[in-house]
Every structure is written in C-alpha cells, then in structure tokens.
Amino acid sequence: MEKVVIIRYAEIHLKGKNRGYFERVFAVNLEKSLKGIRHELHRTSGRWLVEKFEETRAEEIAERISKVFGVHSYSVGYLVGSSLEEIYAGAALIAPREGTFKVETHRAYKKYPLTSMELSAQIGGRLLHEFPALAVDVHRPQNTVYIDVRENGTALVFGSFEEGAGGMPVGTSGRGLLLISGGIDSPVAGYMMAKRGMTVELLHFHSYPYTNEGAKEKVVALAKILSQYSLVTELCTIRVTKIQEEIHAKCAAELNVTLLRRFMFRIAERFASENGLQCLITGESLGQVASQTIEGMTSSNAVVTLPVLRPLVGFDKDEIILRSKKIGAYDTSILPFEDCCTVFLPEHPAIKPKLAYIEEEESKLDVDALVEEALGTAERITF
Ligand code: ATP
Ligand code: MG
C-alpha cells in the first residue's frame, strides 16, 4: 500500500484540439511546484498521480498542488492492489473511527468480480464490524470513503475531494509583465492573470534612497508568495529616483503621480518588448485613488501601445482584500514600508487632468533620456 496524491484537472478538457499541449504544460507545472521533493508523477485516465514520495511529506505535496492552476480537485489517499483485502486495508486507514459514513465505489474496470454496490457494502460492513462507534448513513454521511477500482489491477482509496486552484495551466495564455508594488492590489492582479494561464513576469520600481532595503525585501516576499501560483521565480527592479526628482523640481506638483505613472508605463513597455512580453498588468481599480480615474488610466495608456490589463478594475477594495488574504499575501502587503508612489506625494493630486496639460508639463523633461537612464538601473533578483 502506498500513499499517493490524486490530481484531477479543471478547464483543460475544454480546449479540444489543444488538449495535448495544455496537458503537457500542466504536467511541467506540477513538476515545478514539487521541486525539491522526491516523487514520481504519472498520468492515468483523466488524472495525475503523485507517487513514490516519503509519506511524511504528503501534506506538503498536497499544499503545493493546491496552488497549481488547472487543478480542479485533489485527494490524498492510498494506491492499493484490487483484492478485497487490500482495498479494505486502505479503507481502514481512511475511515473515521466514529460518526456516520458511507462507502462510494467507482469502477473503471468493469470486469471486477463485484459490482460497485457490492464492493461498497462489503467494505462498509467490515468497517462497521471493526469500528463499533461508526454508523452508516448513505444520504448525509459525515464522512465518505471513496474507492476507485482502476483497470490495471489497482485501486485508489481516499477520504475527500479538496478544491483545487481552478483556472488554466500557467504558460498557456501568453506572457505579461506585472507592475508589482509593495501594496495589496498588484499581487492579486498577478494572481488573477496567472489563473487564466498567463505567464506573469514581475517589474518593480523603487526610488532608493527614498525607499529602503525593507521596501525591497517586502516586494521580494510578495513575489515569492505569487511564485507559488505563477511559478515565476524572478523579479526585476528599476530605479526611478531621478525621474521623481526631476518631476518634483520642474512640473506642477498636482501632476506628480500622473507623470510618474506615464514614466512607469513607458519603461515597462520597453522592458516588455525586450523580453518578449505581450502586455502590461496593473493592480488599478476604477476610482480607488485619484490616479485611477478613467482620465488617469487614459493618460498612462496614451504613452504605450501594448495592451494594459487591469484585472481588478471592477473590484471593490473589500473584494481585493479578501482575495489577497486567500492567496496568503495580505499580511505581507500591509507591512509599513514606503513605496515610490508615496514619495513626493502631492497634497492635492489632479483627479481629472487634461491630456494637453499633462503633455505641456511633461515637455519640461527630457523624457527619452530619463527612460533610458532608468532602464540602465535594471537588476534581476532570482529567488
Ligand atoms: P497596489 O496596492 O498594487 O500598490 P495602489 O492601490 O497602491 O496599488 P497605486 O499606487 O495607484 O495603487 O498603483 C497602481 C498600480 O500601479 C499598482 O497596482 C501597480 O500595478 C502599479 N505600481 C504602483 N507602484 C509601483 C511600483 N513601485 N512598482 C511597480 N508598479 C507599481
Ligand atoms: Mg501601492
């Protein structure tokens, strides 16, 4: 008898002709997520099985699998021989010791000597006999023992279906560049695009020495949390200090954020083009702050041609916070470190600035040279 993790996949089956491709990417992603844990991964009819690992690591494996997009559900259980004795041995380990239960059997191997009902009854009867505090309730059991009789002379026995991360395998929906700050929103935005199968590379702007080492470590910590889902283990940082100082010295204070945002987009687009990335992704949500009005978004879109995806655009802050907690980023996101956007923050940022006014103020700067200089500060952090 061997402990295994059973993985069932989600939307992959929708993709007709591309199915083979989706499944290959999915398998690669499962392998990536299990990096550092000895195991074998096998494809079986419509499912994957993680086998041959140290039993004590089963929960850790399950935890990692729970974050892989494309996983519909998973179960920790036992791979056993298909004799009644062996199936019972697995069931006895899975079954609760008290309360109500039922046994549910599925037979892929139709020539098995017992029908599904008969096998369930036999196993259930023996469990009742061995554990007197158990009672059968086939309608509303507290626990279920699932038995899957496979075609190759083995069976799977498990006790629950755990909900997977859903979505599509990362790597099947193109490549985007997430502008990641140290805040709550952008990690969630990255999570959402990765869930739809996009490979999400990361770019962070800092304004050292106005922002410090702590701020950088916080972003790396967020990037690591995101990487459990997105499987991307690299972050690029670019310094925009000079740009902020120039804006502060030469342009109308109320446009500080608007102008900085346009620089961020220009730099991000250059970075994306040089790295084969097809779109920019931000954590903006309509109306959340002064720069996230439709006018603000229009003004930053105006300086790039790549599509800008804003997966949180229609979400309330409460909804974003819920998601942030769910993915395990929230506690890190709320650590108090300065982001470059809060340096030189004007007291009254322009809420609906006209494009002509923005361009006039911006013309006081040597935009191309500043962009070029910033790109030269790019640093890659691998974690
Ligand atoms: P977040 O919670 O993601 O920080 P926010 O509510 O603080 O967002 P803004 O500061 O207006 O909003 O930032 C909007 C978006 O711009 C962010 O979601 C992020 O995508 C991008 N952004 C902001 N600051 C940075 C930064 N320092 N580096 C990279 N991207 C940034
Ligand atoms: Mg922020």
Side-chain angles (χ1 to χ4, degrees), residues 23 49 228 245 280:
E23 291 187 353
L49 279 190
Q228 298 174 302
E245 289 171 342
L280 307 183

Side-chain angles (χ1 to χ4, degrees), residues 27 75 131 135 224 281 338 379:
S75 308
F131 305 112
K224 275 188 193 162
I281 305 162
E338 276 233 90
E379 273 179 51

Side-chain angles (χ1 to χ4, degrees), residues 179-181 183-186 205 261 282-283 288 292 339-341:
L179 281 65
I180 184 170
S181 69
I184 296 168
D185 305 328
S186 38
F205 298 105
R261 204 37 62 78
T282 78
Q288 193 186 85
Q292 296 179 18
D339 184 68
C340 69
C341 289

Side-chain angles (χ1 to χ4, degrees), residues 260-304:
L260 176 60
R261 204 37 62 78
R262 281 161 63 94
F263 274 98
M264 285 182 174
F265 273 45
R266 288 187 181 99
I267 296 165
E269 179 167 70
R270 278 281 298 279
F271 183 89
S273 313
E274 285 162 19
N275 291 280
L277 306 172
Q278 300 159 291
C279 63
L280 307 183
I281 305 162
T282 78
E284 289 164 293
S285 151
L286 187 65
Q288 193 186 85
V289 293
S291 58
Q292 296 179 18
T293 54
I294 184 61
E295 289 81 1
M297 294 182 194
T298 304
S299 113
S300 25
N301 278 19
V303 298
V304 294

Side-chain angles (χ1 to χ4, degrees), residues 67 180 187 202 217-235 327-329 332 381-383:
K67 294 178 172 155
I180 184 170
L202 307 175
E217 279 162 21
K218 175 181 171 182
V219 176
V220 173
L222 287 172
K224 275 188 193 162
I225 293 166
L226 192 56
S227 77
Q228 298 174 302
Y229 306 91
S230 70
L231 307 170
V232 167
T233 55
E234 193 180 86
L235 162 74
I327 68 176
T332 306
I381 303 172
T382 308
F383 44 86

Side-chain angles (χ1 to χ4, degrees), residues 45 108-110 149-154:
S45 48
Y109 180 58
K110 299 295 179 200
V149 181
R150 303 162 81 209
E151 282 171 333
N152 62 357
T154 64

